[in-house]
Amino acid sequence: MANISINFVPLSVLDVDQALLFYRDGLGFTVVSDVANGDFRWVSLVGSDGSGTNLVLSTPGAGRSEADAQALAELVAKGAIGPLVLSTTDLDGLFESLSASGAEVLQEPMDQPWGPRDCAFRDPSGNMVRINQAA
């Protein structure tokens, strides 16, 4: 069987620039591309180590019909999609930094009964982001 890997994970956000404040400035992701097409843009980011899967931010209307864009925007705003699960080697430090930036805290760092120690935030669009302590 052939090897297969995940290269891109799309994430719909209501405002790409606001999302960049959270993902780039707050979490420390690095922008690897910022591609515009008409009124839309797709921004690809990678983790702070500069490698791995690309997180691709775009608005709900990017490549979708008006009706689909509206439906998706409503789901994003409710936080009904996801969560996006990340990991870090310094959960407590990242939690302190991100919560001090004004990000919406959903859960402080704690040990979970299903295994990892993690915390949770909402990005500016409403998406839930869980962050695990890396082993």
Side-chain angles (χ1 to χ4, degrees), residues 1 4 25 34 40 52 62-63 67 92 94 99 101-102 110 116 122 124:
M1 179 173 274
I4 190 164
D25 301 346
D34 189 338
F40 302 109
D92 294 310
L94 182 59
S99 58
S101 76
M110 64 180 283
R122 244 188 238 299

Side-chain angles (χ1 to χ4, degrees), residues 49-99:
D49 67 355
S51 66
T53 302
N54 281 247
L55 179 65
V56 182
L57 307 175
S58 65
T59 58
R64 295 179 183 89
S65 71
E66 178 87 23
D68 287 348
Q70 181 62 37
L72 182 54
E74 290 172 9
L75 290 171
V76 168
K78 288 182 190 179
I81 299 174
L84 176 64
V85 181
L86 308 173
S87 64
T88 182
T89 56
D90 183 10
L91 181 65
D92 294 310
L94 182 59
F95 176 82
E96 291 303 321
S97 172
L98 201 52
S99 58

Side-chain angles (χ1 to χ4, degrees), residues 93 113 125:
S125 296

Side-chain angles (χ1 to χ4, degrees), residues 7-129:
N7 291 330
F8 299 96
V9 173
L11 183 66
S12 291
V13 296
L14 302 179
D15 182 309
V16 172
D17 290 319
Q18 286 293 315
L20 282 171
L21 294 174
F22 181 82
Y23 292 98
R24 182 195 58 211
D25 301 346
L27 290 173
F29 280 35
T30 300
V31 174
V32 292
S33 68
D34 189 338
V35 178
N37 183 6
D39 293 335
F40 302 109
R41 68 194 260 229
W42 292 261
V43 178
S44 296
L45 304 109
V46 293
S48 58
D49 67 355
S51 66
T53 302
N54 281 247
L55 179 65
V56 182
L57 307 175
S58 65
T59 58
R64 295 179 183 89
S65 71
E66 178 87 23
D68 287 348
Q70 181 62 37
L72 182 54
E74 290 172 9
L75 290 171
V76 168
K78 288 182 190 179
I81 299 174
L84 176 64
V85 181
L86 308 173
S87 64
T88 182
T89 56
D90 183 10
L91 181 65
D92 294 310
L94 182 59
F95 176 82
E96 291 303 321
S97 172
L98 201 52
S99 58
S101 76
E104 181 183 351
V105 175
L106 296 178
Q107 175 209 299
E108 294 187 7
M110 64 180 283
D111 293 328
Q112 297 295 348
W114 58 84
R117 183 165 188 271
D118 76 352
C119 64
F121 289 89
R122 244 188 238 299
D123 75 9
S125 296
N127 293 300
M128 180 192 293
V129 177

